[in-house]
Amino acid sequence: MARLNLLEETRYEKLPVSVYNNQHEASVAVANRIADLIRAKQAKGEKAVLGLATGVTPIGVYAELVRLHKEAGLSFKNVITFNLDEYYPMKPTAAQSYVTFMYENLFGHIDIDKANVHIPDGTLDKDAVAGYCLAYEKQIEELGGLDLQILGIGRTGHIGFNEPGSAPNSGTRMVTLDDLTRSDASRDFGGKANVPTKAITMGIGTIFKAREIILMAWSKKKAPIIKKAVEGEISGEVPATYLQLSQHVEFVLDEAAASELTRFDTPWLVKDCVWDNQLKKKAVIWLANEINKPVLKLTEEDYNNHGMAQLAVEQGPVYNINIDIFNQIQHTITGWPGGKPDADDSQRPERALPAKKRSIIFSPHPDDDVISMGGTFIRLVDQGHDVHVAYQTSGNTAVWDDDVLRYMEFAIDFTNSIGEDTTHLQKSYEDMRAFFPTKQPNEIDTQEIRNVKGFIRKTEAISGARYAGLQDDHIHFMALPFYETGKTKKNSVGEEDIQLTIDLLQKIKPQQIFAAGDFADPNGTHLVCFKIILAALDRLKGKEAWVEDCWLWMYRGAWHEFETYEIEMAVPLSPQEVIRKRNAIFKHQSQKDRPVFPGDDAREFWVRAEDRTRDTAQRYDRLGLAEYEAMEAFKRYMF
């Protein structure tokens, strides 16, 4: 019976999928499977031939394999490896090279014979590439093929660098990289312009010949493409769908990456559900959007025709369900994000008391506060709350080099104008002008340059916070040490990061905390900064009485909003408030027009912010709620 139930739940899935609680558990499981294969081959006196991948996804697997080597005696002397791909052209010593990646994350820490390591050569003459690729294939064939191939998946659905349009029988070859793939790699190269347009990759046909294939994916960011790969039709537009044809493949996912699969996203379509309030709310909102009806117009027939008959029978009549969900959504809307004084707060998202709250807005970068919740920020100040803002990092990696020269030229001219000596400034300026033309992609700036970039972000943040109505003593710059590497890759969180946060919290003793809760990128600054706040609160809990009365509200960044069913506080903005928020964002001039790290969205931050909040308001409107110009959304985090 359990087997039948599982088959029913997974009937939309066209290949085997294993889902783990988090990427660490999944990575350990995959590493153990690789280790078991290596040991089984050792016992037979045979070689284990592995196909390996690069990128963020397999890092945890490699870390566990290194641990097993050092702590459990796992030897790699019988292992032969073939990497999937390499950028072209690419020197093996370059920071972005997959040779560098593999030695930093795996080969440099284990006892593998370096002669058994094979990584596509990015230094070849173009005329030599085709012959090299044939020889790469032949080496694999002569060893009897790959025993196990591990894969990640790109947002285009590529596996290896087999981009949309790749043939299912393709072999190792040179390819042209998709624009989205290059955008995703831009941070590693210090800008998209520096990302190679070509790569050498194993083909889909080569991958298919492996006796076992494991495709791994972590984070919400990968959820949409995973749904296409697992449940979609086979298509050259999504190369990973070709894996549906293999009898030897398994997708290994964390919960976030699996979240858009039918059995997790809309489970009522594949099984009977335990209808807690959150699932009921999600289902009713989904149904309203699916058939384009306001919540209060949904009928029993609508429920029955869309997999929700069980809910209608167990908790109906459906009109009562509709009213209940409509009221819950309506009660999230408030023009009083700090609580409405002298009002019944039993149906409001925030407490009425204390009437004037101490609120702190944590901003991971120096502009997340106004981009993400600028309207709420301004409204909290207007309504008389004691509002503080804390900029957790300097943001100094996200400033253009020519802005540094512009500010230095201003500093020299101003210093001259007041009759002060500019010798040292001029020397620094000349050093900077000499450094920039020779600067390599992602090369660390000098400390003086990093300082200037940090000062630029700081003055812009002060200007934005002042525009929102804050006094200078309510504006805090934390410059958390984990960020101050000068590199896009940051250090691990340290004790000082947590202690600085504890000190600020103890100073303010807030009743409200607002923090960035945008976790789509598991290695992003937002998630790191949020975990630092949680670590600080965890240490203070039980020791400081104010913590028991402190509520933590999460907001989202410039790209993604909470799902409607997740929203617990929605702050509507009038057209005039939208303009005020826009003006606060405009104070961040270094991030306007063309930021250093725009992602794959060409819109300016203020446009993204306005489009996002307008869409949130429209989502509420389509459900039958009041029509607003814009809405900023929040979800409470219980710590």
Side-chain angles (χ1 to χ4, degrees):
M1 180 62 71
R3 176 65 179 163
L4 289 175
N5 288 341
L6 180 61
L7 289 172
E8 185 71 9
E9 282 184 42
T10 61
R11 69 174 185 265
Y12 286 93
E13 298 168 21
K14 299 176 181 179
L15 41 71
V17 176
S18 298
V19 182
Y20 291 82
N21 292 327
N22 54 61
Q23 70 178 71
H24 174 71
E25 290 183 12
S27 296
V28 169
V30 172
N32 283 330
R33 287 172 64 174
I34 294 171
D36 289 345
L37 170 65
I38 293 171
R39 292 186 181 113
K41 289 284 188 175
Q42 285 170 347
K44 298 176 183 178
E46 298 175 356
K47 300 289 187 183
V49 185
L50 305 179
L52 300 181
T54 52
V56 172
T57 303
I59 287 176
V61 175
Y62 296 153
E64 179 63 12
L65 288 173
V66 171
R67 189 194 70 77
L68 289 172
H69 169 67
K70 292 182 176 179
E71 299 180 14
L74 176 65
S75 175
F76 290 79
K77 289 182 179 179
N78 72 317
V79 174
I80 301 174
T81 67
F82 290 86
N83 264 73
L84 276 170
D85 43 32
E86 176 62 285
Y87 291 107
Y88 182 89
M90 179 60 62
K91 294 178 180 178
T93 55
Q96 299 85 5
S97 165
Y98 288 159
V99 175
T100 299
F101 176 93
M102 291 305 303
Y103 276 87
E104 285 184 349
N105 289 284
L106 181 62
F107 298 148
H109 309 283
I110 58 177
D111 62 345
I112 192 167
D113 183 343
K114 302 308 183 283
N116 288 340
V117 169
H118 304 86
I119 302 173
D121 187 350
T123 67
L124 297 169
D125 290 336
K126 252 185 182 175
D127 293 342
V129 171
Y132 174 84
C133 291
L134 288 173
Y136 205 75
E137 293 269 339
K138 188 176 181 182
Q139 284 180 297
I140 296 172
E141 290 173 8
E142 288 176 346
L143 289 164
L146 300 170
D147 292 307
L148 172 64
Q149 175 69 62
I150 62 170
L151 302 170
I153 184 170
R155 287 193 293 154
T156 63
H158 70 241
I159 49 177
F161 275 134
N162 292 284
E163 299 284 15
S166 297
N169 62 347
S170 55
T172 303
R173 68 205 186 284
M174 184 185 289
V175 296
T176 299
L177 298 179
D178 186 270
D179 190 68
L180 180 56
T181 299
R182 293 181 66 238
S183 294
D184 284 346
S186 62
R187 183 173 287 267
D188 292 333
F189 285 84
K192 183 177 172 182
N194 301 316
V195 181
T197 58
K198 304 282 187 182
I200 297 173
T201 185
M202 270 192 211
I204 296 173
T206 315
I207 293 168
F208 247 73
K209 294 174 186 175
R211 282 178 279 281
E212 187 177 1
I213 303 168
I214 299 175
L215 185 147
M216 304 174 293
W218 328 131
S219 89
K220 182 75 173 175
K221 189 175 181 180
K222 294 293 179 70
I225 197 63
I226 285 295
K227 182 176 178 65
K228 288 182 180 179
V230 173
E231 298 185 354
E233 297 300 319
I234 295 172
S235 166
E237 292 305 302
V238 183
T241 57
Y242 289 130
L243 295 174
Q244 294 174 18
L245 299 170
S246 173
Q247 299 299 310
H248 311 289
V249 67
E250 179 181 353
F251 277 39
V252 175
L253 313 173
D254 68 358
E255 289 183 349
S259 62
E260 293 190 19
L261 295 178
T262 299
R263 59 170 151 147
F264 300 107
D265 189 32
T266 51
W268 50 87
L269 297 178
V270 294
K271 66 176 181 179
D272 285 344
C273 299
V274 177
W275 290 101
D276 61 20
N277 185 68
Q278 186 77 341
L279 186 62
K280 180 170 69 172
K281 187 177 178 182
K282 179 180 182 179
V284 172
I285 291 172
W286 170 85
L287 178 60
N289 288 325
E290 185 75 6
I291 61 177
N292 197 26
K293 276 187 179 182
V295 169
L296 294 178
K297 289 188 177 181
L298 297 174
T299 66
E300 186 167 357
E301 184 180 13
D302 295 329
Y303 277 64
N304 292 340
N305 289 343
H306 292 84
M308 292 168 55
Q310 181 204 1
L311 175 60
V313 169
E314 290 183 3
Q315 299 193 24
V318 298
Y319 190 64
N320 289 353
I321 300 174
N322 296 344
I323 291 173
D324 176 34
I325 298 303
F326 180 87
N327 287 338
Q328 287 186 47
I329 301 168
Q330 188 173 50
H331 293 156
T332 67
I333 303 172
T334 180
W336 299 84
K340 188 173 183 179
D342 304 317
D344 177 11
D345 60 9
S346 59
Q347 302 295 334
R348 293 179 175 274
E350 249 296 357
R351 306 148 290 173
L353 298 175
K356 303 300 179 186
K357 292 184 175 64
R358 292 184 303 277
S359 302
I360 181 168
I361 300 167
F362 280 103
S363 183
H365 302 98
D367 54 359
D368 289 315
D369 55 336
V370 291
I371 290 173
S372 303
M373 56 168 290
T376 303
F377 186 169
I378 292 169
R379 186 168 287 191
L380 285 166
V381 176
D382 287 351
Q383 292 174 350
H385 297 284
D386 183 17
V387 181
H388 294 251
V389 64
Y391 299 104
Q392 292 171 279
T393 73
S394 68
N396 61 12
T397 61
V399 176
W400 294 106
D401 293 341
D402 53 6
D403 277 345
V404 173
L405 298 180
R406 185 161 60 91
Y407 276 82
M408 286 297 293
E409 287 156 2
F410 172 85
I412 291 168
D413 286 344
F414 177 75
T415 305
N416 266 324
S417 74
I418 59 174
E420 296 291 336
D421 180 53
T422 62
T423 303
H424 184 70
L425 275 175
Q426 191 69 42
K427 174 65 168 59
S428 295
Y429 172 73
E430 295 299 337
D431 289 345
M432 292 174 185
R433 288 201 66 174
F435 173 76
F436 287 139
T438 63
K439 181 179 173 182
Q440 297 300 303
N442 272 0
E443 183 177 351
I444 299 174
D445 288 323
T446 66
Q447 186 62 57
E448 281 190 322
I449 292 171
R450 281 146 58 189
N451 287 343
V452 173
K453 289 183 175 182
F455 298 153
I456 291 171
R457 300 298 305 269
K458 181 176 182 179
T459 55
E460 291 172 347
I462 290 171
S463 182
R466 285 175 179 165
Y467 181 84
L470 290 196
Q471 298 298 311
D472 288 2
D473 63 353
H474 280 46
I475 305 171
H476 309 275
F477 291 90
M478 304 181 73
L480 293 177
F482 85 88
Y483 186 92
E484 298 303 312
T485 62
K487 300 179 289 187
T488 54
K489 185 176 182 180
K490 306 305 180 186
N491 289 334
S492 300
V493 170
E495 178 62 27
E496 191 177 358
D497 299 301
I498 298 170
Q499 191 57 52
L500 284 168
T501 306
I502 289 172
D503 293 343
L504 184 60
L505 288 170
Q506 286 178 315
K507 176 182 177 182
I508 297 169
K509 295 181 171 55
Q511 282 106 11
Q512 267 189 325
I513 296 173
F514 293 89
D518 191 349
F519 308 148
D521 179 359
N523 298 291
T525 300
H526 283 205
L527 179 57
V528 174
C529 286
F530 189 78
K531 287 182 174 179
I532 291 170
I533 296 168
L534 291 184
L537 288 169
D538 184 61
R539 293 194 193 179
L540 290 167
K541 200 170 184 179
K543 298 178 182 177
E544 298 276 342
W546 61 266
V547 178
E548 305 305 319
D549 298 318
C550 181
W551 286 16
L552 173 57
W553 290 101
M554 299 188 296
Y555 61 81
R556 281 284 172 87
W559 290 270
H560 305 288
E561 186 56 278
F562 294 111
E563 297 293 336
T564 308
Y565 72 91
E566 296 178 301
I567 297 171
E568 296 181 60
M569 180 163 67
V571 180
L573 307 181
S574 68
Q576 293 77 19
E577 287 170 318
V578 170
I579 296 298
R580 290 178 71 187
K581 173 179 177 175
R582 182 191 302 174
N583 289 338
I585 296 172
F586 282 176
K587 302 300 182 183
H588 295 269
Q589 294 179 4
S590 70
Q591 305 304 297
K592 199 178 178 303
D593 300 328
R594 190 168 63 97
V596 176
F597 300 117
D600 55 359
D601 191 331
R603 295 173 299 165
E604 293 187 42
F605 283 132
W606 70 272
V607 177
R608 301 184 206 186
E610 290 186 16
D611 287 350
R612 189 195 68 177
T613 54
R614 186 185 304 112
D615 176 70
T616 303
Q618 289 171 350
R619 283 193 277 153
Y620 269 65
D621 178 38
R622 287 194 295 270
L623 294 173
L625 282 300
E627 184 177 2
Y628 292 100
E629 178 71 13
M631 277 181 168
E632 292 178 342
F634 303 86
K635 177 178 172 60
R636 189 177 169 197
Y637 187 92
M638 308 300 291
F639 63 90

